[in-house]
Amino acid sequence: MASSGPARAVDTQLSGFATLPWRKIILGILGATISFVVVVGAFKTLTLPQAERYSGDFWVDQVVNGLGQGAILALIALGYTLVYGILRMINFAHGEVFMAGSFISFFFADAYLESGFLNNQPYTALLILFVVSIAASTLVAVLLERIAYRPLRNAPRLVPLITAIGASLFLQNAFRGFFGAQPRGYPLPDILRGSIELFGIKVSKVQLLVFITAIVAMLVLQAFVNRSRTGRSMRAVAEDSEIASLMGIDVDRIVVITFVVGGILAGIAGVLFALTFEQVQFTMGFKPGIAAFTAAVLGGIGSIGGAALGGFVLGLLQAMGPPLLLTGFGIPSPFSLKDAFVFLILILVLVFRPGGLLGSGEAEKV
Amino acid sequence: MRAEVRIGAIAGVVTIFLAAVGLIGDFTNLNLIGEQVTFAGLMLVLPPLLAGYVATTPRIEAGQVIEATRARAAMVGAVTGASAGVVFAAFVVFVDVFGVERVRAIFLNISPVLMDFLLRGRPVLVAAAILVAISTISGTAGASYRVLPDAARRPLGTAVWVTLLFGFLQRIIPIALDQLDVERDWLYSKVTRGLTWPGAIIVAALAAGASVLKQHRGAAMRRAVSIRPSSDGGGPRLTPVNALLLLVGLAVVFVAPHVVGSVISEVLGTIMVFALLGIGLNIVVGYAGLLDLGYVFFFTLGAYSLALLTGATLNTFVGSSAPVIALDLNFYVAIPVVVAIAAFAGVLIGAPVLRLRGDYLALVTLGLGEMIVVLVTSPWLTPLVGGPQGMRDITNAAIGNFGFRDPKHFYYLAFAFVALALFVSWRLANSRIGRAWTALREDEQVADAMGVSTTSYKLLAFAMGGAIGSVGGALFAVKIGSLTPASFTVLVSIQVLGIVILGGIGSLPGVITGSLVLVGLPGLLREFEEYRLLAYGAALVAVMLLRPQGLVPNVRRSRELHEEDREQDKWAGDIAADEHVAPGISPLGEGAG
Amino acid sequence: MSPALLEVDGVTKRFGGLSALNDLSFSVGDGEIVSIIGPNGAGKSTVFNVITGLYPPDEGDVRLRGQSIVGLSPNRITKAGIARTFQNVHLFPNMSVLENAMVGQHSRSKAGVFGSIARTPRVRREEAVIRQRAEECLGFFGKRLAGYRQDQPAFALSYANRRRLEMARALATDPVMMLLDEPTAGMNPKETLELRDHIVRMRDELSLTVLVIEHDMRVVKGVSDRVVACDYGRKIAEGTYEEVANDEQVIEAYLGKRHEELG
Ligand SMILES: Nc1ncnc2c1ncn2[C@@H]1O[C@H](COP(=O)(O)OP(=O)(O)OP(=O)(O)O)[C@@H](O)[C@H]1O
Ligand SMILES: [Mg+2]
């Protein structure tokens, strides 16, 4: 066998072009560019000539809009985070869970509008819409778990993710097959039209409903996870499912409950989203889905508080970022770049702070 | 009995699903064989048939495979089929009683045509009884098929699916036969458009015969044609038989576009563009194990950079204008530039994100793919790439006066690039670099500790994958001659991923098979266009659940994907138990606590 | 005097509040076989992880021939000449036995993208050398990893053979120094004795310097030129086997925990 003497030379050339910290250099350039865009863009936008500048009211509106959308994102994001916490998998089809609730409730809303029920008994009607939406979303979530994910519990990580992508595509197109491809106008009960003044700020009634519902839902969830027996079991499974099952917790049941809870929240978000944008379509789950996932990561995936916080922060960033940062550079219609903006945030968070805002700032190891 | 009823009920629900998405009602006139076997009819009998087959899966008890006896199988099949039939018939009765039009107000595809097809003018209860009977027979047939002796089963199965395939290809095979001036009325009827019965019987007989032949002579034949690896560890060595087959294969490939005509050549062109994308993505996903959901990034980059490099013009409302960057390179000069740009972009975007764990990486790449789509549509970049209107007058890659826009010509150009990409990919896979990728995919940290620079090799995979994908984009641009953002969506990424996965992750024959199935079939069966994505989604899920290694698997990859089967093995446990190297996290912790 | 081959100098490594290594120093000279012993959780594997670049140390320095290797990536350190095995065997389970060993040769070969695609004569020769080296390294364990086994996937091997393959793979990196983390764990007495000989042969035949973590005192006694004993991340004794085995502190450390295994 080939070998050399005891004083064999060590490869001591320990530096050189190839060993430069390329990653750090590229990251540094990236970070610098972004800081530049943020600072200069914001400065330029805010110091535009009076005529072109956005008014103060514009920014207030953006804040209100941002928070409203953020609340919806937060509700969806909670679904990602809960499932991730328990199964360590990204439920890519969660956007479709949300879409299902929204879409199915549309048929009820539409029928109620025609029968007049929607405006005669708006509170009952809205309640029914929520119930229907929740039921549909939950059903889809549970079916997903049962058919697509449960058989793959022990498979290599990427397998369930690919399945989830397939399921997402399948669900979208099944809805398209059932109900057609064209967007449908979601009716708004008259009591939700118009806006009111709150502390001198104009807030639309829908936004108010969105807010209140979302906050209540999150508080209930928080209480459920912290106080109830099931909630405690959920946390135990999230901590370590093997130990939890040794302690007599039925892990399968907990997983199903997690999907149910995610489905309920998505169902609520579905109605709120439909009321906000007054439209449903089979593709409507995709972008809010990605945005909500971004929100979950932004807040620190696996953490409930993080998902809520991430939702609101992302909502605000989405509403204020494009006009604030891009207008100053003379980029036309900054809102057309809103989605790109969300993705940019997703990438930046994962690159610079993979643990999220509330996380440790360090990436999970392989 | 409970299990059978359940399986049957699921099949019944599946049939209802098929009806609700329109796969029955829209195809009552798609004749496959004669006027009797229609696609709609097939959709009606297939679920109970499969259910009967599944319900008779042999049980394994104490390590022994227990197959059902024939009588028992027939009984199980009948129960399963009947159960499916009852569920579906109940649905039909419900729709009829409730009123088709009222159901249709919500479920667009539950139409009078569908109901006519199901009821045939009979009273609804009679029709329902007939449906149950059909379903019962189908279930019994599926179950009986399972218990047939091998010698009969294989030929029968082959005969059935080959004949149905011929039925499906009623748009293509006749055209090809016409091109070759072969009389074809005996095979395909001009009236029903499908196979004639005599034709079907001949096809079935030939298929069955081939199957019998394969059963008896298969092993010997395979041995004669298989390529043996040479003993010195170098490349494979060709025997005369191999060489002959290769020559014949090449000849077929070479004359193909002239035999099949423009329409099919066009589909073949698309298949090859996607095969190219698949080969590229396979390097990233299959070799290096990095799930990239944003492959459309490189496709778009390739298409648009080729357009800009070769002097395409922008579409505007009033006519056309030159983009702010307009070079006028020859296609063959531009391609290396495109490749270089894409490889560089791969490294640039790879560097910050490649440290991320698998599923995060997937999402980030998805984001990148979406971003480039948003960017090419945005008003901001309109002066460069034309925004929603896009670009036109893209080079046709002419050599001399021989342009490649014509589908029959494009075929050769695409084929050349596919062959090149296959070669590159195959050589890389079987080299030191391929080994490093495999090690990286199997265990990143250990690969690092064994001297493989994980970052470099991930970047290399990204760059190589990106380069090949960009060529796919460039060819696509040449093929259609104009670009609009509508062609560049996340669906491209998912489609390519589907090709790689369905074919078999990490397997080059798999990529080719995948693109033939996922691009070729929908391209040829235009009437199913609407259902393409539905089928994609279902296929992705089904493949992952039933056959994660894909249709034409890569041996090692399929071992990896079945890792869970070895869970009891102590060794798999050892790896999982090494928490020192991979500390767990505890989510839900701080947020909930 | 030229510096020792490997110097671990005042290394501290903390995990949260716990100091897995606490100001640990020792050195290993050319051609030596040094054993690290210590009760469970003493920080032995952590030393290996710090030396091989898997964990950055919080304080202190690790030098190879006088040059600091702290901050280098694991693959650079392997290239510099340190090879290792893992306490819980880590092979590439779905690669064949031979391929596993061939991966070891990675850092000693240089075929690039273009060479690999064109398969130039140089690349082909290199590939032949890689294969030959890998076979030689497998051959170090006699017939155990030879013949038909070379083409089996690694996961199909017996436990002891997996350990051997891991060592063969490490040998294939052409190291100057070999780090073995509990190489005899899970082996039966006969296999353990065989392995003891292998360790000695690594030095005598392959001129390797060996640093080995071992619980089996017969092995430690049989192979070690020197023994370093650790507890709670500190070095508590160092010297010949006899010196360390009779050291008060060492006996103390083991008495509390695993007295029975000493001696
Ligand atoms: N990645 C890690 N994260 C947190 N703690 C760790 C990590 N790696 C090691 N530790 C802790 O450091 C201490 C030393 O661990 P180490 O594995 O080095 O012990 P050891 O001496 O090899 O023990 P054994 O004989 O069991 O192999 C232990 O308490 C262990 O829990
Ligand atoms: Mg240890």
Side-chain angles (χ1 to χ4, degrees):
Chain A
M1 219 165 138
S3 68
S4 37
R8 185 147 131 209
V10 185
D11 178 6
T12 45
Q13 195 222 329
L14 298 177
S15 59
F17 184 76
T19 53
L20 278 178
W22 281 112
R23 203 186 107 88
K24 290 209 178 106
I25 293 173
I26 293 181
L27 278 187
I29 296 173
L30 195 67
T33 317
I34 289 159
S35 318
F36 173 81
V37 170
V38 169
V39 173
V40 177
F43 180 75
K44 284 179 123 179
T45 303
L46 296 176
T47 54
L48 282 174
Q50 190 70 43
E52 298 166 37
R53 207 187 298 164
Y54 293 114
S55 65
D57 284 350
F58 171 84
W59 292 115
V60 174
D61 280 352
Q62 287 313 109
V63 171
V64 174
N65 286 341
L67 288 176
Q69 291 184 31
I72 298 175
L73 288 183
L75 287 178
I76 309 175
L78 285 167
Y80 281 105
T81 267
L82 288 169
V83 169
Y84 191 89
I86 301 276
L87 290 180
R88 303 284 188 287
M89 80 165 267
I90 299 171
N91 178 10
F92 194 81
H94 190 62
E96 274 57 53
V97 171
F98 152 81
M99 177 273 286
S102 211
F103 214 121
I104 299 292
S105 76
F106 158 77
F107 292 104
F108 286 76
D110 198 44
Y112 291 159
L113 179 74
E114 252 162 55
S115 68
F117 183 57
L118 188 65
N119 287 316
N120 297 338
Q121 299 281 333
Y123 298 105
T124 325
L126 275 175
L127 193 67
I128 297 178
L129 292 187
F130 275 110
V131 170
V132 167
S133 177
I134 287 172
S137 287
T138 308
L139 180 71
V140 171
V142 170
L143 283 178
L144 260 181
E145 195 276 328
R146 186 71 197 79
I147 296 172
Y149 303 151
R150 192 179 300 179
L152 299 173
R153 208 63 76 65
N154 296 319
R157 265 189 122 112
L158 293 187
V159 170
L161 181 62
I162 294 170
T163 314
I165 294 169
S168 157
L169 206 58
F170 179 82
L171 283 170
Q172 272 187 34
N173 286 283
F175 270 72
R176 175 182 142 157
F178 291 155
F179 308 123
Q182 66 282 42
R184 309 285 191 94
Y186 202 93
L188 195 62
D190 290 337
I191 51 151
L192 285 180
R193 287 180 200 283
S195 50
I196 53 172
E197 292 258 331
L198 261 187
F199 314 114
I201 297 171
K202 215 174 83 179
V203 181
S204 81
K205 289 181 186 166
V206 173
Q207 272 162 348
L208 204 61
L209 175 76
V210 167
F211 253 156
I212 296 173
T213 320
I215 302 273
V216 170
M218 284 185 238
L219 290 178
V220 172
L221 175 72
Q222 183 79 0
F224 170 73
V225 172
N226 285 336
R227 301 276 156 72
S228 73
R229 248 184 93 95
T230 315
R232 279 197 296 270
S233 305
M234 272 169 80
R235 277 160 54 206
V237 175
E239 203 70 44
D240 189 328
S241 66
E242 236 161 82
I243 292 181
S245 84
L246 288 180
M247 293 184 343
I249 295 175
D250 180 353
V251 174
D252 273 347
R253 196 182 128 250
I254 294 300
V255 170
V256 172
I257 290 175
T258 307
F259 274 83
V260 168
V261 174
I264 293 174
L265 295 168
I268 297 172
V271 177
L272 297 179
F273 187 89
L275 291 173
T276 308
F277 294 96
E278 300 184 45
Q279 186 173 310
V280 293
Q281 197 182 5
F282 72 102
T283 50
M284 67 185 280
F286 181 68
K287 281 190 178 148
I290 300 285
F293 174 76
T294 306
V297 173
L298 184 63
I301 194 151
S303 132
I304 290 179
L309 177 71
F312 285 110
V313 172
L314 187 69
L316 282 177
L317 286 176
Q318 218 179 345
M320 305 186 48
L324 182 64
L325 304 183
L326 302 180
T327 312
F329 289 106
I331 292 172
S333 39
F335 281 108
S336 68
L337 293 172
K338 194 180 86 173
D339 295 321
F341 199 74
V342 171
F343 290 119
L344 195 63
I345 292 174
L346 174 65
I347 294 165
L348 294 181
V349 174
L350 284 176
V351 170
F352 288 107
R353 215 180 149 75
L357 294 177
L358 299 186
S360 58
E362 208 174 288
E364 217 177 292
K365 275 214 171 164
V366 221
Chain B
M1 268 315 101
R2 291 233 339 245
E4 285 85 39
V5 171
R6 229 187 80 201
I7 295 174
I10 292 174
V13 172
V14 170
T15 322
I16 297 175
F17 174 83
L18 295 175
V21 295
L23 274 168
I24 298 181
D26 286 359
F27 298 101
T28 53
N29 289 324
L30 178 60
N31 299 304
L32 299 178
I33 307 173
E35 285 185 13
Q36 287 73 25
V37 182
T38 60
F39 181 76
L42 194 64
M43 287 293 102
L44 212 52
V45 299
L46 215 50
L49 193 90
L50 287 177
Y53 186 74
V54 170
T56 42
T57 307
R59 281 173 302 139
I60 297 179
E61 256 168 42
Q64 290 233 279
V65 181
I66 303 180
E67 286 194 42
T69 61
R70 290 205 196 148
R72 164 133 184 99
M75 219 256 299
V76 166
V79 173
T80 312
S83 151
V86 168
V87 171
F88 186 66
F91 158 78
V92 173
V93 172
F94 168 80
V95 173
D96 192 65
V97 172
F98 194 73
V100 141
E101 286 303 335
R102 282 168 73 192
V103 177
R104 198 187 183 189
I106 293 177
F107 289 91
L108 298 179
N109 279 308
I110 298 181
S111 61
V113 177
L114 170 72
M115 292 308 280
D116 282 348
F117 172 75
L118 295 173
L119 299 177
R120 309 257 153 134
R122 300 189 181 93
V124 65
L125 287 180
V126 178
I130 293 176
L131 284 174
V132 174
I134 292 175
S135 183
T136 309
I137 295 169
S138 311
T140 317
S144 313
Y145 177 73
R146 164 88 73 184
V147 288
L148 278 182
D150 256 8
R153 204 174 59 150
R154 295 249 181 85
L156 179 65
T158 315
V160 170
W161 78 256
V162 171
T163 314
L164 288 177
L165 186 68
F166 268 69
F168 272 115
L169 297 180
Q170 55 187 258
R171 293 280 174 76
I172 295 101
I173 297 176
I175 295 178
L177 293 177
D178 283 347
Q179 290 267 333
L180 292 170
D181 261 338
V182 177
E183 166 64 33
R184 51 93 159 176
D185 283 352
W186 59 274
L187 190 58
Y188 285 95
S189 153
K190 286 231 163 73
V191 187
T192 67
R193 314 202 57 184
L195 282 173
T196 59
W197 276 107
I201 290 167
I202 292 172
V203 170
L206 288 178
S211 166
V212 171
L213 197 69
K214 187 178 154 219
Q215 238 167 8
H216 291 279
R217 284 279 143 75
M221 272 160 32
R222 209 166 308 131
R223 228 171 302 126
V225 302
S226 72
I227 297 176
R228 259 155 272 168
S230 60
S231 45
D232 64 5
R237 191 133 309 158
L238 294 181
T239 65
V241 184
N242 297 153
L244 189 69
L245 280 174
L246 209 64
L247 275 180
V248 172
L250 278 179
V252 168
V253 163
F254 212 71
V255 299
H258 296 285
V259 175
V260 296
S262 289
V263 180
I264 300 175
S265 296
E266 137 101 78
V267 174
L268 288 175
T270 314
I271 291 177
M272 286 195 283
V273 168
F274 274 90
L276 209 49
L277 295 176
I279 294 166
L281 185 63
N282 184 51
I283 292 183
V284 183
V285 180
Y287 295 167
L290 307 166
L291 185 57
D292 179 354
L293 293 183
Y295 202 57
V296 67
F297 181 94
F298 295 107
F299 184 60
T300 315
L301 191 68
Y304 276 97
S305 50
L306 180 83
L308 290 175
L309 288 170
T310 57
T313 52
L314 300 182
N315 282 328
T316 62
F317 288 115
V318 288
S320 67
S321 66
V324 285
I325 300 175
L327 297 170
D328 204 5
L329 300 180
N330 178 291
F331 174 80
Y332 301 91
V333 181
I335 277 286
V337 182
V338 170
V339 165
I341 293 175
F344 182 68
V347 172
L348 209 62
I349 62 174
V353 302
L354 285 176
R355 280 273 187 90
L356 297 172
R357 218 203 37 226
D359 36 11
Y360 279 9
L361 179 70
L363 265 294
V364 168
T365 49
L366 178 77
L368 285 168
E370 280 295 288
M371 262 172 68
I372 196 163
V373 176
V374 174
L375 286 179
V376 294
T377 325
S378 76
W380 178 40
L381 289 185
T382 300
L384 185 63
V385 294
Q389 266 75 40
M391 310 180 81
R392 69 172 121 113
D393 303 333
I394 290 160
T395 175
N396 64 1
I399 300 178
N401 284 329
F402 191 81
F404 284 99
R405 186 91 78 235
D406 179 327
K408 286 191 200 172
H409 297 171
F410 179 77
Y411 172 92
Y412 293 106
L413 183 69
F415 186 81
F417 277 102
V418 170
L420 182 66
L422 279 175
F423 178 75
V424 165
S425 175
W426 173 68
R427 277 286 173 86
L428 283 179
N430 294 294
S431 71
R432 167 179 176 267
I433 293 175
R435 228 168 16 240
W437 278 332
T438 311
L440 176 68
R441 188 178 73 214
E442 296 231 326
D443 194 328
E444 189 177 332
Q445 269 187 326
V446 177
D448 197 356
M450 288 306 125
V452 177
S453 163
T454 51
T455 326
S456 314
Y457 278 85
K458 283 180 174 183
L459 286 179
L460 181 62
F462 240 63
M464 289 303 301
I468 295 180
S470 72
V471 175
L475 284 182
F476 177 77
V478 170
K479 176 170 184 288
I480 61 172
S482 60
L483 299 175
T484 58
S487 319
F488 303 93
T489 67
V490 63
L491 290 176
V492 174
S493 306
I494 294 189
Q495 199 161 354
V496 181
L497 185 68
I499 288 171
V500 172
I501 285 166
L502 182 79
I505 299 178
S507 145
L508 289 174
V511 171
I512 303 299
T513 315
S515 27
L516 283 172
V517 173
L518 286 184
V519 183
L521 280 187
L524 295 175
L525 307 170
R526 282 283 151 79
E527 47 282 66
F528 293 100
E529 178 61 28
E530 245 182 88
Y531 301 98
R532 204 182 77 211
L533 295 174
L534 186 71
Y536 258 64
L540 278 182
V541 177
V543 168
M544 284 294 109
L545 288 176
L546 306 173
R547 200 179 156 85
Q549 70 274 37
L551 296 178
V552 190
N554 166 317
V555 180
R556 179 181 308 125
R557 254 318 211 166
S558 64
R559 281 189 216 135
E560 287 168 25
L561 291 161
H562 282 289
E563 226 143 60
E564 72 267 38
D565 298 347
R566 298 203 307 270
E567 202 69 83
Q568 279 110 328
D569 203 33
K570 178 171 185 306
W571 139 263
D574 281 345
I575 290 192
D578 188 14
E579 68 221 47
H580 287 191
V581 183
I585 55 148
S586 54
L588 276 183
E590 79 274 57
Chain C
M1 197 191 98
S2 70
L5 180 60
L6 179 82
E7 293 165 284
V8 172
D9 186 3
V11 167
T12 297
K13 175 73 198 168
R14 283 181 282 267
F15 294 109
L18 170 98
S19 290
L21 296 179
N22 206 337
D23 194 20
L24 182 73
S25 304
F26 64 90
S27 64
V28 183
D30 274 303
E32 261 191 312
I33 299 182
V34 175
S35 299
I36 302 184
I37 62 167
N40 289 112
K44 305 180 297 295
S45 300
T46 306
V47 184
F48 273 24
N49 288 340
V50 169
I51 295 173
T52 54
L54 252 44
Y55 299 152
D58 293 317
E59 281 160 39
D61 199 8
V62 179
R63 285 184 295 272
L64 185 66
R65 283 263 150 76
Q67 277 218 336
S68 173
I69 54 171
V70 168
L72 293 183
S73 60
N75 62 73
R76 277 298 290 135
I77 292 174
T78 306
K79 195 159 183 228
I82 300 181
R84 72 170 292 178
T85 65
F86 296 87
Q87 182 170 356
N88 305 298
V89 187
H90 275 303
L91 292 169
F92 304 115
N94 300 296
M95 295 176 91
S96 75
V97 167
L98 183 64
E99 283 172 323
N100 262 280
M102 286 167 85
V103 171
Q105 272 280 300
H106 184 87
S107 55
R108 304 293 165 215
S109 48
K110 36 180 161 322
V113 174
F114 295 106
S116 297
I117 294 170
R119 205 169 272 172
T120 57
R122 208 179 57 83
V123 170
R124 249 186 277 186
R125 271 196 307 274
E126 186 183 271
E127 191 69 11
V129 171
I130 292 175
R131 176 178 287 262
Q132 191 200 341
R133 273 293 293 145
E135 282 171 355
E136 279 171 6
C137 293
L138 294 173
F140 183 74
F141 297 95
K143 295 237 173 330
R144 298 251 189 213
L145 296 173
Y148 72 98
R149 289 230 172 88
Q150 290 194 356
D151 298 320
Q152 281 185 340
F155 71 76
L157 292 179
S158 72
Y159 184 73
N161 270 340
R162 285 177 199 159
R163 283 219 170 274
R164 293 187 188 104
L165 175 56
E166 217 194 6
M167 281 182 251
R169 186 180 63 184
L171 286 177
T173 65
D174 291 341
V176 282
M177 170 153 203
M178 182 70 129
L179 312 188
L180 303 171
D181 197 343
E182 302 197 17
T184 66
M187 289 199 172
N188 66 32
K190 182 165 157 282
E191 290 165 337
T192 303
L193 287 185
E194 197 185 304
L195 204 94
R196 191 178 64 185
D197 296 341
H198 286 316
I199 296 175
V200 176
R201 274 179 57 216
M202 279 185 196
R203 176 186 53 188
D204 296 349
E205 289 175 21
L206 308 181
S207 318
L208 291 179
T209 303
V210 182
L211 183 60
V212 56
I213 295 174
E214 192 46 69
H215 277 310
D216 189 319
M217 287 306 152
R218 282 164 308 170
V219 177
V220 175
K221 185 174 179 184
V223 302
S224 314
D225 296 323
R226 225 148 30 87
V227 177
V228 174
C230 305
D231 196 15
Y232 295 113
R234 294 174 192 279
K235 181 166 80 179
I236 53 174
E238 183 175 353
T240 63
Y241 174 77
E242 279 71 23
E243 285 165 13
V244 172
N246 295 320
D247 185 278
E248 294 264 314
Q249 259 185 298
V250 175
I251 295 170
E252 170 84 2
Y254 272 85
L255 267 180
K257 288 161 185 174
R258 32 197 309 174
H259 180 52
E260 68 282 3
E261 283 190 35
L262 197 73

